[in-house]
Amino acid sequence: MIDPNYPWPPADRAWTELPEPARRAMVASGAAAWEQVFHGRATYNKQWRLARPPVLTADAWRELNEVCDRLAQLILDACRRRAGTAGELRHLLGVPAGETRLLDESEPLTEALLAAYRPDVIFSAGVPKFVEYNIDSSLGGGFDADTVIYRFAHLYQEQGILDDLPVRAAPSLLDQRFVAIREELRLPEGARVALLMDFDADYPGLDDPQTFIRILDPLAVRARDFGIDLVIAPVSTATVDADNRLVVDGAPVDALFRLFVPNRVTPTAGLDAVARALAAGTLPMYVSAAAWLLGNKTTFAWLWEDVDGLPAVDQALIRRHVPYTVPLTAAVLDRAITEQATLVAKPADGSAGHGVLLGPELSAADWAEGVRAAVDQGGAILQEYLPTDRVSMDFVQIETGETHTADVPYSLAPYLFGRHASGGLARVGYPGCDGVLNLAHGVLLTGILLKT
């Protein structure tokens, strides 16, 4: 049962409650082994690495995941009050026809769309705030989060640092996703599943597909434990056979795990092959492209439009955890300009921080120009600006090997698959960073430790 008045503990409580010798040893071992911990992990940061991961209380993590789950349901409900099919929802959101690839416009909006989701959560005045919600199978960062946290955990285990302490890595989000794929698609043991990626996308390492796929080999190995024969390949290489079955790496596949974003995937013959197999009904896909529409930030504005008519517990949940949001239109432009210091403007269907305007961090002229352009282009939202709490974290400077402690902004991204909670991604700022917490701005990625 969700408690809308849950007393969220300070972000550093679990860490500071650990014995000081253990904390010192964790930082020292992480600083000494940062190369092996972060080997092959995605980052644009050339100066800093984390010397340790964040530590959270297990109770707070469980509560956060329950809030995540309920808000995802509320978003779907808000969409279903307005639309019955994916096509109707696309039209209401102002998304151009054809922009969301592989979209079946006749698909009804059902609970099946909530197969995979990951919100982006900042903390402001000690309370988690959901600044956007990613609802789709193409949830980035999971492999990095799991890999880093289990490398840290293995390091601590080898050195006996956390022996007899109630601290463990968060449950594997990759494992839970494999469970969900099997269950959602009702796949038999040993099903051949294609994990297709867009290697023309903007992500570190994609410029070298062979190396990137080799780095992901452990993912395919792990999938076997869950009865899945995982085949990782560029979406551009897919074809179909005479029976309209999708062919990847020389053989037909039983299902598709889509790990590319449907509104930014590069058009190729391989993508056309996927579309053909879907249309023929021969390709179960995790997940439907319609799920991507639910993550449009306009849905946050719909939550606020509907809030007064919802049950009291849901009203309290939205008011406490969702920043006030409205569509950015000409009707609110004057307010947007005069209230710059309290607002953020974002593309409604954007991601990775692209096009985000933080009012308090821009000059008046740049802000006014930016919001006017957003109104002219359409498809943007205006959201309450919330100052991000900072947390003390420990870093190693790559060039010198020295450790530094600094108060930095951070965000959490819990992953839920099949409505079940698992692990999460922490985006951690670094000494001297700005307020935009995404990979392109050099943030550092890790999973989390939980203290019971």
Side-chain angles (χ1 to χ4, degrees), residues 32-290:
W34 68 264
E35 289 183 276
Q36 71 183 67
V37 170
F38 291 96
H39 175 71
R41 299 307 93 225
T43 183
Y44 290 104
N45 197 309
K46 307 298 184 185
Q47 186 177 6
W48 300 98
R49 291 293 181 272
L50 287 166
R52 66 168 179 90
V55 185
L56 308 177
T57 67
D59 286 345
W61 183 246
R62 182 170 53 252
E63 185 74 19
L64 181 61
N65 276 281
E66 290 181 2
V67 175
C68 291
D69 184 55
R70 184 57 188 155
L71 285 178
Q73 295 175 62
L74 291 174
I75 287 172
L76 176 61
D77 290 345
C79 292
R80 293 172 73 175
R81 283 191 289 270
R82 293 165 170 81
T85 66
E88 292 172 359
L89 179 59
R90 176 197 61 75
H91 178 73
L92 282 174
L93 292 170
V95 176
E99 182 177 288
T100 305
R101 305 279 180 166
L102 309 179
L103 183 68
D104 176 1
E105 300 235 334
S106 66
E107 180 180 348
L109 304 180
T110 69
E111 293 281 342
L113 298 179
L114 297 182
Y117 37 96
R118 186 210 73 195
D120 289 341
V121 183
I122 66 167
F123 284 74
S124 186
V127 176
K129 302 289 186 176
F130 289 63
V131 293
E132 65 180 74
Y133 218 120
N134 304 281
I135 302 176
D136 195 45
S137 57
S138 56
L139 302 175
F143 187 65
D144 295 305
D146 248 29
T147 301
V148 169
I149 198 59
Y150 281 96
R151 285 175 179 172
F152 269 124
H154 181 68
L155 188 67
Y156 302 150
Q157 183 180 32
E158 281 187 326
Q159 300 177 16
I161 294 173
L162 297 179
D163 289 355
D164 302 322
L165 293 176
V167 179
R168 57 179 173 81
S172 168
L173 64 95
L174 301 179
D175 288 0
Q176 179 56 41
R177 184 162 61 187
F178 287 135
V179 171
I181 290 173
R182 279 284 304 274
E183 292 180 350
E184 293 289 328
L185 301 184
R186 300 177 182 175
L187 298 176
E189 181 79 18
R192 193 166 191 264
V193 177
L195 188 167
L196 297 185
M197 302 178 65
D198 180 10
F199 280 85
D200 291 315
D202 182 19
Y203 196 79
L206 291 181
D207 55 336
D208 186 354
Q210 289 185 339
T211 299
F212 198 92
I213 291 173
R214 189 164 58 250
I215 288 172
L216 292 179
D217 278 346
L219 193 61
V221 172
R222 186 63 176 154
R224 294 177 199 144
D225 294 336
F226 297 88
I228 293 175
D229 177 14
L230 194 68
V231 185
I232 305 172
V235 64
S236 60
T237 63
T239 60
V240 289
D241 63 14
D243 296 320
N244 283 327
R245 295 187 65 192
L246 193 72
V247 175
V248 177
D249 199 20
V253 297
D254 300 302
L256 167 61
F257 167 26
R258 176 177 58 77
L259 202 58
F260 54 85
V261 179
N263 73 335
R264 292 200 304 275
V265 60
T266 306
T268 61
L271 186 65
D272 293 339
V274 172
R276 184 174 165 183
L278 289 172
T282 62
L283 184 66
M285 180 169 69
Y286 186 86
V287 298
S288 161

